[in-house]
């Protein structure tokens, strides 16, 4: 079984300051991990993915995430927040060895960016 | 724009009714997925089809069913609707069927059951 815990349901940052969104996963295998973003009244957009290559993964819009197996974590960071980063972010796990491709989502972290 | 289209965008109906949600995957993608997003349950996987065949199943209610047609579009049928079925329903697609592959999401259909 696989599960994902996003440690903060809400994060508030000032524009231009760093953003840290925390994610821990539980899995009986070496997982594939993703971060998706959902802007208000929009669908989900892929930010980045980890699939057992480099542990530091760079994504779109300046985001990056680091896979730490010893800590079962996959935290998302951005050095400088923009107003356009205000959205909900989802950490997602998938079993790369499964015949199907069920995505298991964390509960989401809503990011507020203050001017 | 992900290339995945969903219709309708909004749907308002009454309890006990039946509705059909439609999804067209990205060009070339063979897998289609359905997810439900609600305030109390979050985002939950419902079902996956690959090239017309069911490939994976989540906690999909027996009142819900889906299919994928030869042209690869998919429909999610929801019947005997209850208030608790009100949610945002997303369709996603990917090129292959196996795990670990990123999925591309449509804009969703917002279902309101009154």
């Amino acid at each position: 079984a696989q599960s994902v815990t996003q440690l903060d349901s809400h994060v508030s940052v000032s524009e231009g300051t760093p953003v840290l969104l925390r994610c821990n996963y539980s899995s009986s295998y070496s997982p594939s991990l993703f971060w998706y973003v959902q802007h208000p009244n929009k669908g989900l957009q892929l930010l980045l993915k980890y699939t057992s290559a480099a542990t530091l993964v760079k994504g779109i819009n300046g985001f990056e995430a680091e896979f730490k197996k010893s800590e079962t974590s996959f935290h998302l960071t951005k050095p400088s927040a923009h107003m356009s980063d205000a959205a909900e972010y989802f950490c997602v796990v998938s079993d790369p060895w499964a015949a199907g491709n069920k995505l298991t989502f964390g509960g989401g972290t809503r990011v507020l960016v203050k001017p | 724009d992900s290339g995945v289209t969903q219709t309708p965008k909004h749907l308002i109906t009454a309890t006990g009714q039946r509705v059909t949600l439609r999804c067209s995957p990205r060009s070339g993608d063979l897998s289609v997925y359905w997810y439900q997003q609600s305030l109390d349950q979050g985002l939950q996987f419902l079902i996956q089809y690959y090239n017309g065949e069911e490939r994976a199943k989540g906690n999909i209610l027996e009142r819900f069913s889906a299919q994928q047609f030869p042209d690869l579009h998919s429909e999610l049928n929801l019947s005997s609707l209850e208030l608790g079925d009100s949610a945002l329903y997303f369709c996603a697609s990917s090129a292959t069927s196996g795990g670990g592959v990123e999925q591309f999401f449509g804009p969703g259909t917002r279902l309101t059951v009154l």
Side-chain angles (χ1 to χ4, degrees):
Chain A
Q2 56 194 26
S3 66
V4 179
T5 302
Q6 291 182 243
L7 300 170
D8 306 291
S9 58
H10 293 81
V11 166
S12 180
V13 298
S14 296
E15 192 175 20
T17 65
V19 181
L20 169 64
L21 305 184
R22 299 181 295 163
C23 170
N24 286 112
Y25 68 90
S26 173
S27 172
S28 55
Y29 45 80
S30 185
S32 292
L33 293 159
F34 308 85
W35 277 97
Y36 280 84
V37 61
Q38 183 178 22
H39 287 93
N41 300 313
K42 299 282 187 184
L44 293 133
Q45 181 185 19
L46 179 68
L47 279 179
L48 50 81
K49 65 176 180 177
Y50 166 77
T51 53
S52 78
T55 56
L56 185 61
V57 182
K58 293 191 184 298
I60 62 171
N61 300 335
F63 284 95
E64 64 179 37
E66 186 172 9
F67 174 72
K68 291 187 177 180
K69 186 175 180 179
S70 60
E71 299 177 10
T72 60
S73 69
F74 190 55
H75 301 335
L76 181 71
T77 60
K78 182 172 180 178
S80 176
H82 294 158
M83 295 300 293
S84 59
D85 294 328
E88 188 155 24
Y89 293 78
F90 294 93
C91 184
V92 181
V93 65
S94 170
D95 177 0
W97 303 105
N101 191 19
K102 165 187 171 181
L103 297 184
T104 299
F105 286 77
T109 298
R110 191 169 295 276
V111 173
L112 171 67
V113 182
K114 297 176 289 186
Chain B
D1 184 0
S2 67
V4 178
T5 60
Q6 290 186 246
T7 55
K9 194 167 184 175
H10 300 278
L11 201 48
I12 301 175
T13 188
T15 54
Q17 295 298 304
R18 173 189 171 93
V19 297
T20 297
L21 312 183
R22 183 188 168 102
C23 167
S24 292
R26 291 189 321 159
S27 178
D29 283 357
L30 297 179
S31 273
V32 170
Y33 311 80
W34 287 98
Y35 292 85
Q36 180 192 60
Q37 184 178 32
S38 62
L39 285 175
D40 53 345
Q41 301 280 352
L43 261 160
Q44 295 218 330
F45 168 74
L46 295 178
I47 198 162
Q48 175 192 0
Y49 277 82
Y50 176 74
N51 205 20
E53 295 191 359
E54 183 182 306
R55 186 55 59 102
K57 205 166 185 176
N59 295 328
I60 187 168
L61 298 173
E62 283 192 14
R63 300 183 286 109
F64 296 1
S65 65
Q67 54 185 326
Q68 185 179 26
F69 294 87
D71 67 352
L72 300 178
H73 92 271
S74 178
E75 293 181 356
L76 179 67
N77 299 297
L78 315 176
S79 62
S80 303
L81 285 167
E82 302 175 359
L83 295 177
D85 298 327
S86 295
L88 194 50
Y89 291 84
F90 286 110
C91 170
S93 73
S94 67
T96 58
S97 69
V101 175
E102 64 266 35
Q103 297 175 20
F104 297 89
F105 283 78
T109 293
R110 184 170 295 280
L111 173 66
T112 303
V113 182
L114 301 175

